[in-house]
Amino acid sequence: MPTQSLESHFSAIRDALAGGNLSAVSEAARTGLSDYPKEADFAKIQIVALIKQEKAQQALTLIDQAHKSKLLSPRDVAYEAAYCNFVVGNYEMAKRQLKNASPGPAVAKLSAQIAYKCNQFAECANIYEVLLSEAARDSQEYNDLLLNMSAAKAAAAAQHGQASGADDAASATAGGYELMFNSATRMLGSGRAQEAATLLAEAAKLAIATLADAGWSEKDIRGEVGPIEAQRAVALQQLGRGGEASAIYVSLLSDRLLDAVTRDVVAHNCAALSAAAAPSGGAPASSAKRTLQVPGRSAGALSCHQKALMVYNMAALQMAQKQYAAARRSLRALGKMPPGAAVANAGALSATISLRMGQRQQALNELAAMSFSQEPVSGIRTTLAAAQVAIQLGDTKRAAELLEAWKGKAQGVVLNDLQLPAKFARHYFGVCLLCNWLLSKLGSGKSETEVAAEAARHVYAKAAAMQPQNVDLLV
């Protein structure tokens, strides 16, 4: 039975909206939906409130629940679902869902942004051209649409080889500092870091002059120029000029004027530079040296994979600094992200953290799971690591099972298909001997001579199609 009346729930939502408290709006809508599970308006309000709070993944979960319970149809929240999928980087899904949305300017703008993200620049420009024809010429909306259309057309021209190098930079300069920013962002993405750094320095100067002439306050100008400077630091970092990049990052973070997305990128890159400069360094710190770009103005927020990379790199940095519990929490956050956000080395990092924390049984379970899921060529190191941990734990049987499972998969590998067949053959030979030694401990092993002969026969059988000199390397 409901604890409050329907009107009291809506009253709580109105009060929270009046106070600008989106978190309270979301909670009030959630409570209302709990008391009145068939009241679709509560679900819609909570979905929108979550989107406004930049919690797209949570909003998607709620949308899915509403669909399954038949509280809302796919058409009821088609735009919201498409927007959330766009934010998390599921562009194809966003495009499909948008087809169910009622036509309008918001839908058209989102279609343009999706097209841009999918590198369909000509289509993007066409959509903006239609929107421009419907906008008032003296409005800010018209200027924003014109800017986005110019960026899309420049990208389409570059995509088809119609503009590059100096021509690309010149056309960007003519379009104002925002178009210069977007052009430089594309340059960074294509490896033209030096050109991007130069263009961004010019964009920052132009922005300061333009906004000062328009009567902007110094604080507002710094807030507008911040993303441009952040992107220039990214370019400098890619050029190996870490000291200059770090100084810009620190200055921007101390100013506290950046938007949430840019601030996250700046903090991540600054931390990665600090870890790279630390004397302890090591593999985890090295893996976190990768920089992230600030998204272009027309590109929207970070993609789902970029966010996942930030979380993974943070975990690597925390482990390098011996903050193992914090690193574990970061990896758990990574595990809650969509499947498309997976980072290849996350499993190995998690197992390393477990070992550093003295949790050897957990490390063994993580390494064993990786070993079973990996191909024999790429999984040999993981398998040997898992077997080593099992032996340290006194679990000889499990170590033998892990090696036997790898050996079974490895027997299907054709050496002639590999780049380093001799190395793989030596691994196979060694695993056979080690596995037999473990089985001997369990009372079921064979003689070393017999095992060596079996392994040699298998290796030579798999090397039959190879050149004689390669076969000679195996003995």
Side-chain angles (χ1 to χ4, degrees):
M1 179 177 291
T3 58
Q4 299 180 44
S5 69
L6 190 64
E7 176 55 33
S8 66
H9 284 299
F10 281 115
S11 179
I13 291 171
R14 286 193 293 270
D15 290 344
L17 280 171
N21 190 338
L22 290 172
S23 179
V25 171
S26 179
E27 180 57 26
R30 187 196 65 78
T31 305
L33 188 60
S34 177
D35 278 352
Y36 297 90
K38 294 185 178 181
E39 189 62 44
D41 284 344
F42 286 133
K44 289 181 182 178
I45 292 169
Q46 189 180 1
I47 289 165
V48 173
L50 288 171
I51 291 172
K52 293 286 187 180
Q53 294 174 81
E54 299 182 2
K55 296 179 179 179
Q57 193 57 54
Q58 291 183 35
L60 278 174
T61 301
L62 185 58
I63 289 170
D64 185 54
Q65 292 172 352
H67 287 169
K68 289 179 178 177
S69 65
K70 298 184 178 179
L71 182 63
L72 295 171
S73 72
R75 188 173 293 276
D76 289 335
V77 283
Y79 174 80
E80 290 79 3
Y83 178 83
C84 289
N85 274 300
F86 170 76
V87 170
V88 301
N90 296 333
Y91 305 126
E92 290 301 323
M93 177 62 77
K95 190 185 298 185
R96 288 197 296 272
Q97 288 172 328
L98 207 56
K99 291 178 181 178
N100 291 323
S102 300
V107 171
K109 288 175 184 176
L110 183 55
S111 295
Q113 290 178 310
I114 294 170
Y116 193 95
K117 277 290 192 179
C118 294
N119 295 329
Q120 297 166 346
F121 303 120
E123 179 184 340
C124 175
N126 289 339
I127 296 172
Y128 280 129
E129 199 158 4
V130 173
L131 287 168
L132 266 174
S133 67
E134 299 169 352
R137 279 186 168 273
D138 57 348
S139 65
Q140 182 60 47
E141 180 191 16
Y142 185 90
N143 293 332
D144 291 341
L145 290 170
L146 182 61
L147 172 68
N148 289 341
M149 186 185 71
S150 300
K153 285 187 174 180
Q159 188 178 50
H160 292 90
Q162 296 173 8
S164 61
D167 291 337
D168 195 13
S171 62
T173 304
Y177 70 87
E178 289 191 304
L179 183 54
M180 293 167 73
F181 176 87
N182 276 344
S183 295
T185 297
R186 289 194 302 277
M187 289 175 182
L188 274 176
S190 60
R192 295 155 59 189
Q194 185 58 63
E195 293 174 70
T198 302
L199 186 58
L200 286 163
E202 294 175 7
K205 291 178 182 176
L206 179 60
I208 292 170
T210 302
L211 298 175
D213 288 344
W216 285 40
S217 69
E218 185 179 345
K219 181 179 178 180
D220 288 342
I221 290 174
R222 290 204 313 274
E224 181 73 2
V225 176
I228 301 174
E229 283 292 282
Q231 196 77 301
R232 186 166 74 89
V234 172
L236 294 172
Q237 192 171 350
Q238 290 187 4
L239 291 168
R241 292 157 64 178
E244 295 174 63
S246 184
I248 295 173
Y249 290 144
V250 170
S251 174
L252 290 171
L253 289 172
S254 63
D255 235 0
R256 299 184 180 181
L257 294 173
L258 298 174
D259 61 90
V261 170
T262 306
R263 185 177 63 249
D264 287 346
V265 173
V266 168
H268 167 267
N269 289 349
C270 189
L273 275 174
S274 299
S280 57
S286 298
S287 71
K289 290 179 184 177
R290 291 165 290 185
T291 58
L292 289 177
Q293 286 185 213
V294 179
R297 295 297 174 90
S298 58
L302 292 171
S303 71
C304 193
H305 181 71
Q306 285 174 313
K307 291 177 182 177
L309 182 60
M310 289 176 72
V311 175
Y312 169 79
N313 282 353
M314 181 57 70
L317 291 168
Q318 288 165 334
M319 195 192 80
Q321 296 164 359
K322 300 183 180 180
Q323 299 174 9
Y324 303 129
R328 175 75 73 204
R329 286 194 297 273
S330 295
L331 283 181
R332 284 178 186 147
L334 182 62
K336 294 177 182 178
M337 299 184 78
V343 178
N345 296 329
L349 181 61
S350 181
T352 304
I353 292 169
S354 295
L355 287 172
R356 297 282 178 87
M357 296 178 74
Q359 300 168 347
R360 289 192 292 177
Q361 187 62 53
Q362 182 171 337
L364 172 57
N365 293 337
E366 290 169 331
L367 290 167
M370 291 169 59
S371 172
F372 284 122
S373 65
Q374 290 174 339
E375 294 298 319
V377 177
S378 59
I380 177 62
R381 292 184 181 276
T382 304
T383 303
L384 290 173
Q388 181 182 1
V389 175
I391 292 170
Q392 290 174 348
L393 289 169
D395 195 344
T396 304
K397 182 181 178 182
R398 191 168 186 189
E401 289 173 347
L402 285 163
L403 294 173
E404 282 281 4
W406 180 88
K407 190 172 74 169
K409 291 190 292 185
Q411 286 175 348
V413 174
V414 178
L415 297 181
N416 203 32
D417 294 340
L418 305 180
Q419 285 187 324
L420 298 171
K423 183 177 180 180
F424 183 80
R426 286 194 295 272
H427 281 146
Y428 179 82
F429 202 83
V431 166
C432 288
L433 294 175
L434 177 58
C435 188
N436 184 66
W437 177 78
L438 291 170
L439 291 172
S440 297
K441 295 286 185 182
L442 297 169
S444 60
K446 304 176 183 178
S447 71
E448 287 190 12
T449 303
E450 186 179 356
V451 171
E454 287 179 359
R457 281 196 298 272
H458 175 75
V459 166
Y460 275 102
K462 289 296 182 180
M466 298 172 61
Q467 295 298 319
Q469 63 268 29
N470 287 338
V471 177
D472 292 341
L473 290 172
L474 303 181
V475 295

